[in-house]
Amino acid sequence: MRMPRGLLFWFVLIILLFCIAIAPVQTARTVLGIIHATGKFFAGLKAFLDTLASP
């Protein structure tokens, strides 16, 4: 597997590392909030699709 070398990848990586270095607790809470919200979204989507699939 080759390493990504695009400019956008390095730009995003530097910004992410900068945010972690400056505010590690807030960055961790934000990442965990995004993960939690994504899980809730897919759980709701599953319930919606199950409702549509039932006769």
Short mmCIF file of all heavy atoms in Angstrom, two decimals:
data_model
loop_
_atom_site.label_atom_id
_atom_site.label_comp_id
_atom_site.label_asym_id
_atom_site.label_seq_id
_atom_site.Cartn_x
_atom_site.Cartn_y
_atom_site.Cartn_z
N MET A 1 0.84 -1.17 0.00
CA MET A 1 0.00 0.00 0.00
C MET A 1 0.89 1.24 0.00
O MET A 1 1.76 1.40 0.85
CB MET A 1 -0.86 -0.04 1.26
CG MET A 1 -1.92 1.01 1.27
SD MET A 1 -3.18 0.57 2.48
CE MET A 1 -2.97 1.88 3.60
N ARG A 2 0.67 2.10 -0.95
CA ARG A 2 1.51 3.29 -1.02
C ARG A 2 0.94 4.43 -0.20
O ARG A 2 -0.26 4.51 0.03
CB ARG A 2 1.74 3.72 -2.46
CG ARG A 2 0.52 4.25 -3.15
CD ARG A 2 0.83 4.59 -4.61
NE ARG A 2 -0.04 5.68 -5.02
CZ ARG A 2 0.35 6.90 -5.26
NH1 ARG A 2 1.59 7.21 -5.17
NH2 ARG A 2 -0.50 7.83 -5.62
N MET A 3 1.81 5.30 0.24
CA MET A 3 1.39 6.43 1.08
C MET A 3 0.73 7.50 0.22
O MET A 3 1.18 7.79 -0.89
CB MET A 3 2.59 7.04 1.79
CG MET A 3 3.19 6.15 2.85
SD MET A 3 4.56 6.94 3.69
CE MET A 3 3.82 8.43 4.27
N PRO A 4 -0.34 8.13 0.73
CA PRO A 4 -0.95 9.24 -0.02
C PRO A 4 -0.02 10.45 0.00
O PRO A 4 0.58 10.76 1.03
CB PRO A 4 -2.23 9.52 0.74
CG PRO A 4 -2.06 8.90 2.07
CD PRO A 4 -1.06 7.80 1.92
N ARG A 5 0.09 11.10 -1.12
CA ARG A 5 1.03 12.22 -1.20
C ARG A 5 0.37 13.49 -1.72
O ARG A 5 1.05 14.43 -2.09
CB ARG A 5 2.20 11.85 -2.12
CG ARG A 5 3.01 10.72 -1.54
CD ARG A 5 4.21 10.43 -2.37
NE ARG A 5 4.87 9.25 -1.81
CZ ARG A 5 5.75 8.55 -2.43
NH1 ARG A 5 6.10 8.85 -3.65
NH2 ARG A 5 6.30 7.51 -1.85
N GLY A 6 -0.96 13.50 -1.76
CA GLY A 6 -1.66 14.68 -2.27
C GLY A 6 -1.53 15.85 -1.32
O GLY A 6 -1.40 15.70 -0.09
N LEU A 7 -1.58 17.03 -1.87
CA LEU A 7 -1.46 18.25 -1.08
C LEU A 7 -2.62 18.39 -0.10
O LEU A 7 -2.42 18.80 1.06
CB LEU A 7 -1.42 19.45 -2.02
CG LEU A 7 -1.21 20.82 -1.38
CD1 LEU A 7 0.11 20.85 -0.62
CD2 LEU A 7 -1.24 21.90 -2.43
N LEU A 8 -3.81 18.01 -0.51
CA LEU A 8 -4.97 18.10 0.38
C LEU A 8 -4.80 17.19 1.60
O LEU A 8 -5.13 17.57 2.72
CB LEU A 8 -6.25 17.73 -0.38
CG LEU A 8 -7.54 17.81 0.42
CD1 LEU A 8 -7.79 19.24 0.88
CD2 LEU A 8 -8.70 17.31 -0.41
N PHE A 9 -4.28 15.99 1.40
CA PHE A 9 -4.05 15.07 2.51
C PHE A 9 -3.12 15.69 3.54
O PHE A 9 -3.40 15.67 4.74
CB PHE A 9 -3.46 13.76 1.99
CG PHE A 9 -2.95 12.86 3.08
CD1 PHE A 9 -3.83 12.09 3.82
CD2 PHE A 9 -1.59 12.80 3.39
CE1 PHE A 9 -3.38 11.26 4.83
CE2 PHE A 9 -1.13 11.97 4.40
CZ PHE A 9 -2.03 11.20 5.12
N TRP A 10 -2.01 16.24 3.12
CA TRP A 10 -1.05 16.82 4.05
C TRP A 10 -1.61 18.06 4.73
O TRP A 10 -1.37 18.30 5.92
CB TRP A 10 0.26 17.16 3.33
CG TRP A 10 0.97 15.92 2.89
CD1 TRP A 10 1.16 15.50 1.62
CD2 TRP A 10 1.55 14.91 3.74
NE1 TRP A 10 1.82 14.30 1.62
CE2 TRP A 10 2.08 13.91 2.89
CE3 TRP A 10 1.67 14.74 5.11
CZ2 TRP A 10 2.72 12.78 3.39
CZ3 TRP A 10 2.30 13.62 5.60
CH2 TRP A 10 2.81 12.66 4.75
N PHE A 11 -2.39 18.84 4.00
CA PHE A 11 -3.01 20.03 4.57
C PHE A 11 -3.99 19.64 5.69
O PHE A 11 -3.95 20.21 6.78
CB PHE A 11 -3.73 20.81 3.46
CG PHE A 11 -4.28 22.13 3.90
CD1 PHE A 11 -3.45 23.16 4.27
CD2 PHE A 11 -5.65 22.33 3.93
CE1 PHE A 11 -3.96 24.37 4.69
CE2 PHE A 11 -6.18 23.54 4.34
CZ PHE A 11 -5.33 24.56 4.72
N VAL A 12 -4.83 18.66 5.44
CA VAL A 12 -5.79 18.19 6.44
C VAL A 12 -5.06 17.57 7.63
O VAL A 12 -5.44 17.79 8.79
CB VAL A 12 -6.80 17.20 5.81
CG1 VAL A 12 -7.64 16.52 6.87
CG2 VAL A 12 -7.68 17.91 4.80
N LEU A 13 -4.02 16.81 7.38
CA LEU A 13 -3.26 16.18 8.45
C LEU A 13 -2.61 17.23 9.36
O LEU A 13 -2.67 17.11 10.59
CB LEU A 13 -2.20 15.25 7.87
CG LEU A 13 -1.35 14.50 8.90
CD1 LEU A 13 -2.22 13.51 9.68
CD2 LEU A 13 -0.22 13.78 8.21
N ILE A 14 -2.04 18.26 8.78
CA ILE A 14 -1.40 19.31 9.56
C ILE A 14 -2.43 20.06 10.41
O ILE A 14 -2.20 20.34 11.59
CB ILE A 14 -0.61 20.27 8.64
CG1 ILE A 14 0.62 19.55 8.10
CG2 ILE A 14 -0.23 21.54 9.37
CD1 ILE A 14 1.34 20.30 7.01
N ILE A 15 -3.58 20.35 9.83
CA ILE A 15 -4.64 21.05 10.58
C ILE A 15 -5.14 20.17 11.73
O ILE A 15 -5.33 20.65 12.85
CB ILE A 15 -5.79 21.46 9.65
CG1 ILE A 15 -5.34 22.58 8.73
CG2 ILE A 15 -7.02 21.88 10.45
CD1 ILE A 15 -6.34 22.99 7.69
N LEU A 16 -5.33 18.89 11.48
CA LEU A 16 -5.78 17.97 12.52
C LEU A 16 -4.77 17.88 13.66
O LEU A 16 -5.13 17.97 14.83
CB LEU A 16 -6.05 16.59 11.93
CG LEU A 16 -6.55 15.53 12.90
CD1 LEU A 16 -7.92 15.92 13.44
CD2 LEU A 16 -6.61 14.19 12.22
N LEU A 17 -3.51 17.73 13.33
CA LEU A 17 -2.47 17.66 14.36
C LEU A 17 -2.36 18.97 15.13
O LEU A 17 -2.13 18.97 16.34
CB LEU A 17 -1.13 17.29 13.73
CG LEU A 17 -1.03 15.86 13.18
CD1 LEU A 17 0.30 15.66 12.49
CD2 LEU A 17 -1.24 14.84 14.28
N PHE A 18 -2.56 20.09 14.45
CA PHE A 18 -2.52 21.39 15.10
C PHE A 18 -3.66 21.52 16.11
O PHE A 18 -3.47 21.98 17.24
CB PHE A 18 -2.61 22.50 14.04
CG PHE A 18 -2.54 23.88 14.59
CD1 PHE A 18 -1.34 24.39 15.04
CD2 PHE A 18 -3.67 24.67 14.65
CE1 PHE A 18 -1.26 25.67 15.55
CE2 PHE A 18 -3.61 25.95 15.16
CZ PHE A 18 -2.40 26.45 15.61
N CYS A 19 -4.86 21.08 15.71
CA CYS A 19 -6.01 21.14 16.62
C CYS A 19 -5.81 20.23 17.83
O CYS A 19 -6.15 20.59 18.96
CB CYS A 19 -7.29 20.73 15.89
SG CYS A 19 -7.85 21.96 14.71
N ILE A 20 -5.24 19.06 17.61
CA ILE A 20 -4.98 18.14 18.71
C ILE A 20 -3.93 18.72 19.66
O ILE A 20 -4.05 18.60 20.88
CB ILE A 20 -4.56 16.76 18.18
CG1 ILE A 20 -5.75 16.08 17.50
CG2 ILE A 20 -4.02 15.88 19.29
CD1 ILE A 20 -5.40 14.82 16.76
N ALA A 21 -2.93 19.38 19.12
CA ALA A 21 -1.87 19.94 19.95
C ALA A 21 -2.36 21.13 20.77
O ALA A 21 -1.96 21.31 21.93
CB ALA A 21 -0.69 20.37 19.07
N ILE A 22 -3.24 21.94 20.20
CA ILE A 22 -3.69 23.14 20.90
C ILE A 22 -4.80 22.84 21.91
O ILE A 22 -4.78 23.35 23.02
CB ILE A 22 -4.17 24.19 19.88
CG1 ILE A 22 -2.98 24.72 19.15
CG2 ILE A 22 -4.95 25.29 20.54
CD1 ILE A 22 -3.20 25.95 18.35
N ALA A 23 -5.77 22.01 21.52
CA ALA A 23 -6.91 21.74 22.39
C ALA A 23 -7.25 20.26 22.34
O ALA A 23 -8.21 19.86 21.69
CB ALA A 23 -8.10 22.59 21.95
N PRO A 24 -6.48 19.42 23.02
CA PRO A 24 -6.71 17.98 22.91
C PRO A 24 -8.06 17.52 23.47
O PRO A 24 -8.70 16.65 22.90
CB PRO A 24 -5.56 17.36 23.69
CG PRO A 24 -5.05 18.43 24.57
CD PRO A 24 -5.36 19.73 23.89
N VAL A 25 -8.49 18.12 24.57
CA VAL A 25 -9.75 17.68 25.19
C VAL A 25 -10.94 18.07 24.31
O VAL A 25 -11.83 17.26 24.05
CB VAL A 25 -9.91 18.28 26.61
CG1 VAL A 25 -11.25 17.94 27.20
CG2 VAL A 25 -8.79 17.77 27.49
N GLN A 26 -10.95 19.29 23.83
CA GLN A 26 -12.04 19.74 22.97
C GLN A 26 -12.07 18.98 21.66
O GLN A 26 -13.14 18.65 21.15
CB GLN A 26 -11.93 21.25 22.70
CG GLN A 26 -12.19 22.10 23.92
CD GLN A 26 -10.97 22.28 24.81
OE1 GLN A 26 -9.92 21.70 24.57
NE2 GLN A 26 -11.10 23.09 25.85
N THR A 27 -10.88 18.69 21.11
CA THR A 27 -10.82 17.92 19.87
C THR A 27 -11.35 16.52 20.09
O THR A 27 -12.11 16.00 19.26
CB THR A 27 -9.37 17.87 19.34
OG1 THR A 27 -8.88 19.21 19.18
CG2 THR A 27 -9.29 17.16 18.02
N ALA A 28 -10.99 15.90 21.19
CA ALA A 28 -11.48 14.55 21.48
C ALA A 28 -12.99 14.55 21.68
O ALA A 28 -13.69 13.66 21.18
CB ALA A 28 -10.79 14.01 22.73
N ARG A 29 -13.52 15.55 22.37
CA ARG A 29 -14.98 15.63 22.55
C ARG A 29 -15.68 15.83 21.22
O ARG A 29 -16.75 15.26 20.99
CB ARG A 29 -15.32 16.78 23.50
CG ARG A 29 -14.98 16.47 24.93
CD ARG A 29 -15.39 17.61 25.84
NE ARG A 29 -15.00 17.30 27.22
CZ ARG A 29 -14.82 18.21 28.15
NH1 ARG A 29 -14.98 19.49 27.86
NH2 ARG A 29 -14.48 17.85 29.37
N THR A 30 -15.11 16.64 20.35
CA THR A 30 -15.71 16.87 19.04
C THR A 30 -15.72 15.59 18.22
O THR A 30 -16.74 15.24 17.60
CB THR A 30 -14.94 17.97 18.29
OG1 THR A 30 -14.96 19.16 19.08
CG2 THR A 30 -15.54 18.24 16.94
N VAL A 31 -14.59 14.88 18.21
CA VAL A 31 -14.52 13.63 17.44
C VAL A 31 -15.50 12.61 18.00
O VAL A 31 -16.22 11.94 17.24
CB VAL A 31 -13.07 13.08 17.45
CG1 VAL A 31 -13.02 11.67 16.89
CG2 VAL A 31 -12.15 14.00 16.66
N LEU A 32 -15.58 12.47 19.32
CA LEU A 32 -16.52 11.54 19.92
C LEU A 32 -17.97 11.96 19.64
O LEU A 32 -18.83 11.11 19.43
CB LEU A 32 -16.28 11.42 21.42
CG LEU A 32 -15.01 10.69 21.81
CD1 LEU A 32 -14.82 10.73 23.33
CD2 LEU A 32 -15.03 9.25 21.33
N GLY A 33 -18.24 13.23 19.63
CA GLY A 33 -19.58 13.72 19.30
C GLY A 33 -19.97 13.39 17.87
O GLY A 33 -21.11 13.00 17.60
N ILE A 34 -19.01 13.55 16.96
CA ILE A 34 -19.27 13.21 15.55
C ILE A 34 -19.53 11.71 15.40
O ILE A 34 -20.45 11.30 14.69
CB ILE A 34 -18.10 13.67 14.67
CG1 ILE A 34 -18.07 15.19 14.59
CG2 ILE A 34 -18.19 13.06 13.27
CD1 ILE A 34 -16.83 15.76 13.95
N ILE A 35 -18.74 10.89 16.10
CA ILE A 35 -18.94 9.44 16.02
C ILE A 35 -20.30 9.07 16.60
O ILE A 35 -21.03 8.25 16.02
CB ILE A 35 -17.79 8.71 16.76
CG1 ILE A 35 -16.49 8.88 15.99
CG2 ILE A 35 -18.11 7.24 16.95
CD1 ILE A 35 -15.26 8.41 16.73
N HIS A 36 -20.66 9.67 17.72
CA HIS A 36 -21.95 9.37 18.35
C HIS A 36 -23.11 9.80 17.44
O HIS A 36 -24.09 9.07 17.28
CB HIS A 36 -22.04 10.08 19.70
CG HIS A 36 -23.30 9.82 20.44
ND1 HIS A 36 -23.63 8.58 20.95
CD2 HIS A 36 -24.34 10.64 20.76
CE1 HIS A 36 -24.80 8.65 21.55
NE2 HIS A 36 -25.25 9.89 21.44
N ALA A 37 -23.01 10.99 16.86
CA ALA A 37 -24.06 11.48 15.97
C ALA A 37 -24.19 10.62 14.73
O ALA A 37 -25.30 10.37 14.24
CB ALA A 37 -23.78 12.94 15.58
N THR A 38 -23.07 10.15 14.20
CA THR A 38 -23.11 9.26 13.04
C THR A 38 -23.81 7.95 13.38
O THR A 38 -24.62 7.45 12.60
CB THR A 38 -21.68 8.99 12.52
OG1 THR A 38 -21.05 10.25 12.22
CG2 THR A 38 -21.69 8.14 11.28
N GLY A 39 -23.51 7.41 14.55
CA GLY A 39 -24.17 6.18 14.99
C GLY A 39 -25.67 6.37 15.14
O GLY A 39 -26.46 5.51 14.74
N LYS A 40 -26.08 7.51 15.73
CA LYS A 40 -27.51 7.79 15.87
C LYS A 40 -28.18 7.96 14.52
O LYS A 40 -29.31 7.52 14.31
CB LYS A 40 -27.71 9.05 16.71
CG LYS A 40 -27.45 8.85 18.20
CD LYS A 40 -27.60 10.12 18.99
CE LYS A 40 -29.02 10.60 18.97
NZ LYS A 40 -29.23 11.76 19.86
N PHE A 41 -27.49 8.58 13.57
CA PHE A 41 -28.04 8.77 12.23
C PHE A 41 -28.31 7.42 11.56
O PHE A 41 -29.39 7.20 11.02
CB PHE A 41 -27.08 9.61 11.37
CG PHE A 41 -27.46 9.63 9.91
CD1 PHE A 41 -28.52 10.42 9.49
CD2 PHE A 41 -26.77 8.88 8.99
CE1 PHE A 41 -28.89 10.44 8.15
CE2 PHE A 41 -27.13 8.89 7.65
CZ PHE A 41 -28.19 9.68 7.24
N PHE A 42 -27.32 6.53 11.62
CA PHE A 42 -27.50 5.24 10.96
C PHE A 42 -28.52 4.36 11.70
O PHE A 42 -29.23 3.58 11.06
CB PHE A 42 -26.17 4.52 10.79
CG PHE A 42 -25.36 5.08 9.66
CD1 PHE A 42 -24.20 5.77 9.89
CD2 PHE A 42 -25.78 4.92 8.35
CE1 PHE A 42 -23.46 6.30 8.85
CE2 PHE A 42 -25.06 5.45 7.30
CZ PHE A 42 -23.89 6.14 7.54
N ALA A 43 -28.64 4.50 13.01
CA ALA A 43 -29.68 3.77 13.74
C ALA A 43 -31.06 4.27 13.33
O ALA A 43 -31.98 3.47 13.12
CB ALA A 43 -29.46 3.93 15.24
N GLY A 44 -31.21 5.57 13.20
CA GLY A 44 -32.48 6.14 12.73
C GLY A 44 -32.79 5.74 11.30
O GLY A 44 -33.94 5.46 10.95
N LEU A 45 -31.76 5.72 10.46
CA LEU A 45 -31.95 5.31 9.07
C LEU A 45 -32.39 3.86 9.00
O LEU A 45 -33.27 3.51 8.20
CB LEU A 45 -30.65 5.52 8.29
CG LEU A 45 -30.70 5.21 6.80
CD1 LEU A 45 -31.71 6.10 6.10
CD2 LEU A 45 -29.32 5.38 6.19
N LYS A 46 -31.81 3.01 9.84
CA LYS A 46 -32.20 1.59 9.88
C LYS A 46 -33.65 1.45 10.30
O LYS A 46 -34.41 0.68 9.70
CB LYS A 46 -31.30 0.80 10.82
CG LYS A 46 -31.63 -0.68 10.88
CD LYS A 46 -30.76 -1.39 11.89
CE LYS A 46 -31.03 -2.86 11.95
NZ LYS A 46 -32.39 -3.23 12.30
N ALA A 47 -34.06 2.20 11.33
CA ALA A 47 -35.45 2.14 11.78
C ALA A 47 -36.40 2.62 10.68
O ALA A 47 -37.46 2.04 10.46
CB ALA A 47 -35.63 2.99 13.03
N PHE A 48 -36.02 3.66 9.97
CA PHE A 48 -36.83 4.18 8.87
C PHE A 48 -36.97 3.16 7.76
O PHE A 48 -38.07 2.92 7.25
CB PHE A 48 -36.19 5.47 8.35
CG PHE A 48 -36.90 6.05 7.15
CD1 PHE A 48 -38.17 6.59 7.28
CD2 PHE A 48 -36.29 6.05 5.91
CE1 PHE A 48 -38.81 7.12 6.17
CE2 PHE A 48 -36.93 6.57 4.81
CZ PHE A 48 -38.20 7.12 4.93
N LEU A 49 -35.87 2.54 7.38
CA LEU A 49 -35.91 1.54 6.32
C LEU A 49 -36.69 0.30 6.75
O LEU A 49 -37.40 -0.31 5.93
CB LEU A 49 -34.50 1.17 5.86
CG LEU A 49 -33.73 2.29 5.16
CD1 LEU A 49 -32.32 1.83 4.85
CD2 LEU A 49 -34.44 2.73 3.89
N ASP A 50 -36.59 -0.08 8.01
CA ASP A 50 -37.38 -1.21 8.52
C ASP A 50 -38.87 -0.88 8.48
O ASP A 50 -39.70 -1.74 8.16
CB ASP A 50 -36.97 -1.57 9.94
CG ASP A 50 -35.62 -2.27 10.00
OD1 ASP A 50 -35.15 -2.75 8.95
OD2 ASP A 50 -35.04 -2.31 11.11
N THR A 51 -39.21 0.37 8.78
CA THR A 51 -40.61 0.79 8.71
C THR A 51 -41.12 0.74 7.28
O THR A 51 -42.24 0.31 7.03
CB THR A 51 -40.77 2.20 9.28
OG1 THR A 51 -40.26 2.23 10.61
CG2 THR A 51 -42.21 2.65 9.29
N LEU A 52 -40.32 1.17 6.34
CA LEU A 52 -40.72 1.13 4.94
C LEU A 52 -40.85 -0.29 4.41
O LEU A 52 -41.70 -0.58 3.58
CB LEU A 52 -39.72 1.90 4.06
CG LEU A 52 -39.71 3.41 4.20
CD1 LEU A 52 -38.64 4.00 3.30
CD2 LEU A 52 -41.06 3.99 3.85
N ALA A 53 -40.00 -1.19 4.92
CA ALA A 53 -39.99 -2.57 4.44
C ALA A 53 -41.15 -3.40 4.99
O ALA A 53 -41.55 -4.39 4.38
CB ALA A 53 -38.67 -3.24 4.79
N SER A 54 -41.71 -2.99 6.13
CA SER A 54 -42.80 -3.78 6.71
C SER A 54 -44.09 -3.53 5.94
O SER A 54 -44.39 -2.40 5.54
CB SER A 54 -42.98 -3.44 8.19
OG SER A 54 -43.40 -2.09 8.31
N PRO A 55 -44.88 -4.59 5.72
CA PRO A 55 -46.11 -4.44 4.91
C PRO A 55 -47.23 -3.74 5.65
O PRO A 55 -47.47 -3.61 6.71
CB PRO A 55 -46.52 -5.87 4.59
CG PRO A 55 -45.78 -6.74 5.51
CD PRO A 55 -44.61 -5.96 6.03
#
